[in-house]
Amino acid sequence: MTEPAVQSRTGGPSLPQERRLVTEIPGPESRARLDRKKQHVADGVGTMLPVFVEAAGGGILRDVDGNSLIDLGSGIAVTSVGNSAPEVVRGVQEQVAAFTHTCFMITPYDGYVDVCEKLAELTPGDHAKKSALFNSGAEAVENAVKIARVATGRDAVGVFEHAYHGRTNLTMAMTSKNMPYKHGFGPFAGEVYRAPMSYPFRDGLSGEQAAARAIDVLDKQVGADNLACIAIEPILGEGGFVVPAPGFLPTLAAWAADKGVVLIADEIQSGFCRTGSWFACDEEGVVPDLVTTAKGIAGGLPLAAVTGRAELMDSVHVGGLGGTYGGNPVACAAALGSIAEMETHDLAARARAIGGTMHARLTALQERHPVIGDVRGRGAMMAIELCAPGTTDAEPARAAAVAAYCHQQGVVTLTCGTWGNVFRFLPPLSIPDALLDEGLDVVAEAFAATA
Ligand code: PLZ
């Protein structure tokens, strides 16, 4: 049963905050649209939960059949302020009515500079900073590497096992996992070298030990003098929400600073209040030379940035950084609205509260289900890794079964990890407590039902 058209277009926080299933998932309207998708959209573009959405807000996605689903994914850590958050909608509406595009490289406008000023204020460290804006996370990572290469006059790029940095040619090379991101798409960009990551559940090493292992690879197999940069996600995203052991990031950062290697923190998934601080690096006292951001920065509109030490950013010749749409005025207005929502509602504190709830619920679940080998994450970026009890042998089939059960019950959950056996939680920070609890109830049911 679909509701009247006018009402059905009302999303945002006014959307009733309740899970309500009126058809099977996907329902008949979604299935009809899936046939059209099959006809017109390339098969390479997959969908995980094939319901077509018509409205979203708070912690709810409503589909074209009138089902209301609990959102524990935020469109992969993007709608942290919630879908159609009031300040995002207001900023976008005003901007879209004033002008939609000039190209900042042709004639500039305030919104772009305002976002760069905010980034200087919010990113780790109190040194002089500048930014450049782009469209996607991958584009930001590519540009961070370009800047590091020009600044150092070196070529090599150090990355880590289980890393995800994007789907463009250089960022595919920087990404660890073959399927589905890289398979058949080579040859990849050269001069990218992979070091072992700290993965406490699997390696049992302290942060210092894991850093020594990584530094040994970078130093002996690449050579610090050849390294322009090392790029690292302070908490792995697609690679499995792995939180490196304490001390790993600070030790690497100190080594990079000593060797003149630019430290790039890829905070595209972990940034903008997701982990309970503005940036995950804040919690380790690590101050990267360059930070890449995207996703949560703009409440759902495409925007990305590289922010870093002013002298590094300025090492690139005039005209060396840019793009037709980078820092589009509507996306910048969305970012300013999104940041305003985070500041006004102290969404970092909200992420910590959500993290407290999720951690308690997930550790309780682990006691009942030994297939949950590890509970980890920080703030509203939490995950459980599923393994044969007492081992680190991945159980991706169980993760898929649990996810499928949740989807049938109207809870949007995502998996990740190199072995596909990590079940991750990225609720919008606007989710009401009752919905979060109900979503986690369904996850618990899913474990019982698939045991
Ligand atoms: N760096 C840390 O998490 C994007 C990718 C989903 P783009 N992660 C979600 C998929 O299957 O494509 C991401 C990230 C980190 C870079 C990126 C890339 O950001 O905006 O997708 O290009």
Side-chain angles (χ1 to χ4, degrees):
M1 274 243 314
T2 29
E3 291 167 46
V6 172
Q7 207 183 330
S8 72
R9 276 198 291 274
T10 309
S14 60
L15 197 64
Q17 295 297 298
E18 59 176 12
R19 178 171 64 120
R20 198 162 69 98
L21 298 184
V22 294
T23 70
E24 70 281 14
I25 301 291
E29 289 290 335
S30 281
R31 287 202 303 272
R33 284 157 172 85
L34 280 169
D35 290 341
R36 287 189 63 230
K37 172 187 179 282
K38 181 75 192 150
Q39 194 185 343
H40 298 294
V41 180
D43 285 351
V45 184
T47 40
M48 188 200 67
L49 204 182
V51 298
F52 276 68
V53 171
E54 66 166 18
I60 288 291
L61 300 172
R62 192 175 62 205
D63 74 11
V64 289
D65 288 286
N67 298 301
S68 291
L69 290 79
I70 299 177
D71 181 11
L72 298 183
S74 303
I76 323 188
V78 171
T79 51
S80 296
V81 295
N83 256 293
S84 303
E87 286 301 304
V88 174
V89 171
R90 195 185 56 77
V92 165
Q93 283 177 340
E94 281 174 14
Q95 182 57 51
V96 85
F99 63 97
T100 47
H101 173 83
T102 66
C103 185
F104 192 76
M105 301 185 304
I106 308 297
T107 49
Y109 40 86
D110 284 336
Y112 190 116
V113 183
D114 293 340
V115 170
C116 295
E117 185 179 27
K118 267 293 177 198
L119 283 164
E121 179 194 321
L122 300 174
T123 52
D126 49 17
H127 50 279
K129 292 175 212 158
K130 291 192 175 187
S131 295
L133 304 183
F134 304 98
N135 303 298
S136 69
E139 211 188 334
V141 173
E142 291 240 358
N143 278 279
V145 171
K146 281 158 64 173
I147 293 163
R149 283 177 168 162
V150 169
T152 57
R154 305 171 182 175
D155 292 336
V157 176
V159 294
F160 291 84
E161 284 172 354
H162 313 291
Y164 183 90
H165 295 292
R167 293 176 182 265
T168 58
N169 188 265
L170 174 60
T171 57
M172 275 193 293
M174 295 171 70
T175 291
S176 209
K177 190 173 174 174
N178 174 51
M179 206 57 170
Y181 309 122
K182 302 169 72 165
H183 189 73
F185 296 147
F188 304 111
E191 289 304 316
V192 175
Y193 301 91
R194 196 169 306 284
M197 179 67 180
S198 167
Y199 198 144
F201 173 61
R202 287 176 179 273
D203 65 24
L205 299 178
S206 72
E208 289 75 11
Q209 289 168 329
R213 182 177 64 171
I215 289 167
D216 185 64
V217 169
L218 296 170
D219 209 24
K220 298 295 177 281
Q221 299 183 34
V222 191
D225 291 351
N226 298 315
L227 271 174
C229 57
I230 50 177
I232 188 160
E233 301 159 80
I235 297 178
L236 289 177
E238 303 306 304
F241 282 27
V242 177
V243 184
F248 179 75
L249 291 173
T251 306
L252 267 182
W255 177 80
D258 182 50
K259 302 293 183 188
V261 175
V262 174
L263 177 66
I264 302 172
D266 182 345
E267 291 254 18
I268 286 165
Q269 190 149 168
S270 57
F272 281 101
C273 297
R274 180 50 55 187
T275 64
S277 307
W278 280 103
F279 294 95
C281 280
D282 293 329
E283 289 129 20
E284 309 259 1
V286 166
V287 178
D289 301 307
L290 300 176
V291 184
T292 55
T293 53
K295 292 190 185 277
I297 190 176
L301 272 81
L303 188 73
V306 182
T307 303
R309 297 187 186 281
E311 68 279 10
L312 276 182
M313 296 297 294
D314 285 343
S315 58
V316 177
H317 48 279
V318 174
L321 301 174
T324 304
Y325 294 114
N328 166 271
V330 181
C332 286
L336 295 170
S338 172
I339 292 167
E341 292 275 349
M342 292 182 195
E343 287 175 330
T344 313
H345 303 293
D346 194 359
L347 292 185
R350 179 68 189 140
R352 292 193 293 275
I354 288 173
T357 302
M358 291 200 295
H359 190 266
R361 295 285 310 262
L362 295 173
T363 47
L365 194 63
Q366 184 183 30
E367 279 165 28
R368 297 200 298 279
H369 299 282
V371 70
I372 301 176
D374 195 23
V375 178
R376 60 181 180 242
R378 202 183 286 150
M381 184 172 183
M382 299 279 297
I384 48 185
E385 179 161 358
L386 307 191
C387 292
T391 75
T392 55
D393 300 340
E395 291 274 14
R398 184 71 183 279
V402 171
Y405 182 97
C406 292
H407 298 169
Q408 291 308 313
Q409 297 301 317
V411 179
V412 182
T413 54
L414 314 178
T415 56
C416 64
T418 297
W419 296 277
N421 64 328
V422 179
F423 206 81
R424 62 173 151 172
F425 301 91
L426 289 165
L429 306 178
S430 56
I431 193 170
D433 285 331
L435 272 191
L436 177 63
D437 277 330
E438 192 179 337
L440 293 169
D441 289 343
V442 171
V443 173
E445 266 173 41
F447 272 91
T450 57

